[in-house]
Amino acid sequence: MITVQNLTYTYPGASAETLHGLNFTIAEGEIFGFLGPSGAGKSTTQNILIGLLKQFGGTVQVLGRDIGSWGHDLYEHIGVSFELPNHYLKLTARENLNHFASLYSGATLDPMEVLGWVDLQEDADKKVANFSKGMKVRLNVARSLVHQPRLLFLDEPTAGLDPVNARKVKDLILRLRQQGTTVFVTTHNMSVADELCDRVAFITAGSINVIDAPAALKQQYGKRDVLVAYRNGSEMIEEQTFALDGLGHDPSFIQLLQTAQRLETIHTQETTLENIFIQVTGQELNT
Ligand code: ADP
Ligand code: MG
């Protein structure tokens, strides 16, 4: 669905390059996550992939064609949710969706159905000026879906959402993938990347550090250790670490289980995607 080779980009008038040679491909039906701290170049990349920023270096193919060879008909096939919602504030949510639906030549969905997906059906006839930030973000996601695009670009789709609404948006994205939609999602939110993405690219300062499936990254960087916390009489908790592999035949582990006066906890030490990000990139995600 997307092939990017040696993508470089410098903003007009800027003294420094923003993207330094990105390479990645996105397969049909995949949720591909672009994960990185703010300023890394995620939105810039999305804006190149949707044809908004043009004078880039390298090759960008979207839906089988060079991005530069697409005209406005590209927007019949892709859905875009920008980082900063840009709605008509004086119109209601329903009027906003009706307006955007009218711009497409193909079939569009009933706005009320799409509003239901993001739990805004009760607010359909309220002016968007009176919406909270989270409601605007959800309306933004809804708007990207009215024409049932095969390829969806979501820039920070859970920014400003409380956990319940973030969960709803994440479930919606998973449901769309089940129906065959391909999703490019940019985020600095680790749980979005971990829960949703088939593959993630770690991006910092305009370069991709690694691309892989979250589970594969955890397997590669995880420690596969078991930490036992216990007490032997005193108030002090003592800890010992054992390798998970061969644990059942590890005499010192078995001996500890038999001799510790009181076991407090036994935990495997799975690493998190966040820890891996820090380990690989040397940067925090500042979520
Ligand atoms: P992200 O989405 O990962 O937070 P961006 O793609 O928005 O990052 O920004 C990447 C870099 O490009 C940042 O250093 C940012 O300041 C710069 N940048 C973004 N937009 C512009 C612009 N319109 N003109 C000049 N520089 C920009
Ligand atoms: Mg951004």
Side-chain angles (χ1 to χ4, degrees):
M1 300 295 271
I2 294 177
T3 304
V4 170
Q5 287 169 311
N6 304 319
L7 173 62
T8 56
Y9 187 75
T10 305
Y11 279 98
S15 53
E17 193 179 70
T18 291
L19 302 177
H20 313 297
L22 307 185
N23 290 285
F24 58 92
T25 59
I26 303 179
E28 182 160 15
E30 183 172 43
I31 301 180
F32 187 86
F34 234 48
L35 180 68
S38 81
K42 304 182 298 293
S43 298
T44 303
T45 305
Q46 171 170 311
N47 287 336
I48 292 169
L49 294 178
I50 64 174
L52 280 189
L53 296 176
K54 292 178 200 295
Q55 306 292 325
F56 57 85
T59 312
V60 174
Q61 290 185 320
V62 175
L63 296 171
R65 279 167 56 181
D66 274 336
I67 187 73
S69 77
W70 278 102
H72 262 91
D73 51 335
L74 174 64
Y75 303 107
E76 298 285 335
H77 305 289
I78 68 172
V80 182
S81 169
F82 291 100
E83 185 169 15
L84 299 173
N86 51 342
H87 306 297
Y88 290 104
L89 299 180
K90 289 186 180 165
L91 302 183
T92 67
R94 192 205 299 254
E95 287 165 346
N96 264 277
L97 290 194
N98 272 325
H99 169 70
F100 283 99
S102 74
L103 302 177
Y104 295 103
S105 58
T108 53
L109 297 165
D110 176 356
M112 287 309 287
E113 179 179 357
V114 186
L115 287 172
W117 293 350
V118 293
D119 214 14
L120 283 176
Q121 64 276 60
E122 309 268 303
D123 306 293
D125 297 313
K126 287 185 193 150
K127 278 199 176 124
V128 175
N130 300 326
F131 273 23
S132 68
K133 180 166 187 282
M135 291 163 79
K136 286 178 187 157
V137 169
R138 283 183 281 144
L139 181 59
N140 212 31
V141 172
R143 201 179 85 192
S144 70
L145 299 173
V146 286
H147 56 303
Q148 298 185 278
R150 302 160 53 199
L151 176 57
L152 191 59
F153 293 90
L154 302 174
D155 198 347
E156 304 281 1
T158 61
L161 299 187
D162 60 72
V164 173
N165 281 311
R167 180 75 264 153
K168 279 182 190 144
V169 168
K170 286 189 274 192
D171 288 342
L172 171 60
I173 295 169
L174 289 171
R175 215 164 61 235
L176 291 164
R177 192 259 309 266
Q178 247 172 22
Q179 294 160 10
T181 311
T182 306
V183 184
F184 177 87
V185 55
T186 84
T187 185
H188 66 273
N189 182 305
M190 197 50 76
S191 87
V192 169
D194 201 1
E195 291 174 45
L196 294 189
C197 296
D198 298 300
R199 287 186 307 142
V200 289
F202 289 174
I203 178 168
T204 53
S207 299
I208 292 177
N209 309 85
V210 68
I211 302 178
D212 213 334
L217 287 168
K218 285 183 201 161
Q219 204 165 41
Q220 185 181 348
Y221 291 93
K223 288 211 298 252
R224 293 188 57 77
D225 282 343
V226 176
L227 181 72
V228 181
Y230 60 97
R231 277 186 234 253
N232 266 338
S234 78
E235 281 297 294
M236 245 197 20
I237 293 182
E238 299 180 53
E239 289 181 346
Q240 275 192 58
T241 301
F242 302 91
L244 185 59
D245 298 303
L247 189 63
H249 303 284
D250 184 337
S252 51
F253 174 72
I254 292 163
Q255 192 191 5
L256 179 63
L257 295 188
Q258 290 171 343
T259 59
Q261 256 176 31
R262 181 186 157 87
L263 288 170
E264 295 293 339
T265 59
I266 301 180
H267 290 305
T268 48
Q269 303 292 290
E270 281 93 5
T271 192
T272 63
L273 202 55
E274 178 136 26
N275 286 336
I276 298 168
F277 189 92
I278 294 166
Q279 199 179 331
V280 169
T281 69
Q283 287 197 29
E284 305 268 341
L285 270 163
N286 60 10
T287 42

